[in-house]
Amino acid sequence: MRKILAGPADRLPRPPYDAEIDTIFKALGGMPERYEVERLRKDASARTQPLTSALLADKSINVEDISIPGPRQSLTISVVKPLAPADESRPCIFYIHGGALVAADRFAGLDTSVIWARDFSAITISVEYGRAPENTGTEPVEDCYAALLWTSKHMSELGIDPDRLLLYGTSAGGGLAAAAALMARDRGGPKLCGLVLECPMLDDRNEKVSSQQFSTGPFYNSTLNKFAWRCLLGERAGGSAVSEYEAPARAQDLSRMPPTFLDCASAEPFRDEIVAFASKLWEGGVQAELHVWPGGPHGYDRIIPTAPFAILARQTRLAWIRRAFQTI
């Protein structure tokens, strides 16, 4: 079983948490003494299960599991469709879940598909990609890209508008979404109308100031992040032999990427790598929108969804997706 000891205490001053988050932070106390894959998976499952049950019981949508060919073995995707009849093809959000590359499943965060179905009449597709450490290197993103490509080839039977296919990833899924978008660019498709990267996990090097500021704490920190990257990359993590398809922050050229929305919080280890990625997109002439929400840790949207800045963040994402679907 892979494990890592907790890192040293933070030495740099760091942006404060929002008052509501700070209360939770103080109540949680210290960080774990070590990280283990099975414990992370157990905790993720406990958090996800009630939301998954509510999703499957929701009468406004239909959830269908489909087995599709994968690069190494068959993959399972979940297709979430609005039950209301449609006069025309629907937009599609291809969703990639988070979980530090090692935990969670295709239903993690998929409860948001009910909102997408209601607000956009959108179909959501979520893939069960291979997690680390059982799947390493580019294997998880190859799974995601294979499922995205399958979706693009079955749009007609799924009722999807080919001009409105949007790729969306959260946390580790955000990094995989960025890598899959790079693959789509480099391999000639599929065409994406937009890319949403919600607090994406992009850089295995953990060198940015925010990584040093948030190396400890009960929320997602860079000590856990180093553990997660080592599960994917082994001894290559942080070294020179890592490709942009494994860690998208390694990309030197982000030109010809789809219009991109990025967001994160000010009090999380990913903050500076996300800001740098947005700058690289602008350098490549890509239309990109970046938001850094003050006072939140990584995962703030789930930790305290009623916080005013969390509500505003969700509204801002939805507004951007609406524009992406209308600009075709």
Side-chain angles (χ1 to χ4, degrees):
M1 179 178 295
R2 293 174 181 253
K3 59 182 69 174
I4 188 170
L5 297 179
D10 303 296
R11 295 188 176 92
L12 294 178
R14 57 190 194 180
Y17 293 115
D18 179 89
E20 292 183 73
I21 294 289
D22 198 48
T23 301
I24 297 173
F25 175 80
K26 291 174 181 176
L28 288 172
M31 64 186 293
E33 292 185 1
R34 63 175 179 263
Y35 294 107
E36 300 177 354
V37 168
E38 291 310 315
R39 166 55 69 179
L40 292 170
R41 288 177 178 175
K42 183 177 180 181
D43 291 348
S45 179
R47 291 192 302 269
T48 301
Q49 189 55 53
L51 296 170
T52 300
S53 298
L55 171 70
L56 297 176
D58 195 297
K59 301 301 182 184
S60 67
I61 50 94
N62 177 70
V63 182
E64 179 185 7
D65 289 343
I66 302 175
S67 180
I68 66 171
R72 300 177 309 285
Q73 57 190 10
S74 61
L75 300 170
T76 300
I77 62 170
S78 288
V79 181
V80 183
K81 286 187 176 184
L83 284 184
D87 296 330
E88 56 186 17
S89 297
R90 302 179 191 268
C92 176
I93 295 176
F94 187 96
Y95 173 75
I96 305 177
H97 73 82
L101 295 168
V102 303
D105 60 24
R106 67 187 182 279
F107 291 105
L110 196 57
D111 51 297
T112 309
S113 64
V114 176
I115 298 172
W116 296 333
R118 181 195 67 205
D119 287 11
F120 311 127
S121 190
I123 295 168
T124 301
I125 295 178
S126 182
V127 59
E128 195 73 64
Y129 59 83
R131 302 174 302 187
E134 295 88 350
N135 300 268
T136 58
T138 60
E139 290 176 346
V141 70
E142 290 287 2
D143 286 348
C144 296
Y145 179 72
L148 179 66
L149 197 60
W150 182 92
T151 298
S152 72
K153 293 178 178 178
H154 294 80
M155 287 186 175
S156 179
E157 63 195 75
L158 291 168
I160 295 171
D161 181 347
D163 292 322
R164 293 188 290 171
L165 174 61
L166 182 142
L167 180 55
Y168 189 122
T170 300
S171 191
L176 292 170
L182 284 166
M183 286 182 169
R185 179 196 70 177
D186 298 342
R187 299 178 183 181
K191 176 186 173 184
L192 301 170
C193 72
L195 173 64
V196 176
L197 304 178
E198 182 183 336
C199 54
M201 178 180 175
L202 299 166
D203 198 338
D204 63 299
R205 291 166 291 192
N206 287 281
E207 294 173 343
K208 301 294 187 184
V209 169
S210 57
S211 295
Q212 300 171 50
Q213 288 175 318
F214 298 98
S215 65
T216 63
F219 304 121
Y220 194 95
N221 57 58
S222 58
T223 302
L224 171 54
N225 195 45
K226 290 175 183 177
F227 169 73
W229 279 110
R230 280 202 283 272
C231 286
L232 181 75
L233 300 173
E235 295 304 314
R236 291 189 296 120
S240 59
V242 176
S243 78
E244 62 194 55
Y245 299 138
E246 295 169 311
R250 301 292 192 131
Q252 295 300 306
D253 176 16
L254 293 180
S255 64
R256 298 181 291 110
M257 290 282 276
T260 304
F261 177 95
L262 311 93
D263 73 354
C264 61
S266 63
E268 71 156 291
F270 294 164
R271 182 195 67 222
D272 294 344
E273 65 194 59
I274 294 168
V275 172
F277 197 79
S279 294
K280 200 71 177 177
L281 286 164
W282 293 320
E283 180 184 313
V286 177
Q287 183 66 269
E289 181 173 324
L290 168 68
H291 294 268
V292 181
W293 301 105
H298 185 74
Y300 65 89
D301 207 4
R302 294 284 171 172
I303 293 169
I304 187 162
T306 57
F309 73 94
I311 294 171
L312 182 58
R314 289 194 298 275
Q315 291 173 340
T316 303
R317 281 185 222 119
L318 290 172
W320 191 91
I321 293 171
R322 182 174 292 107
R323 294 197 302 273
F325 284 153
Q326 290 172 346
T327 308
I328 57 174

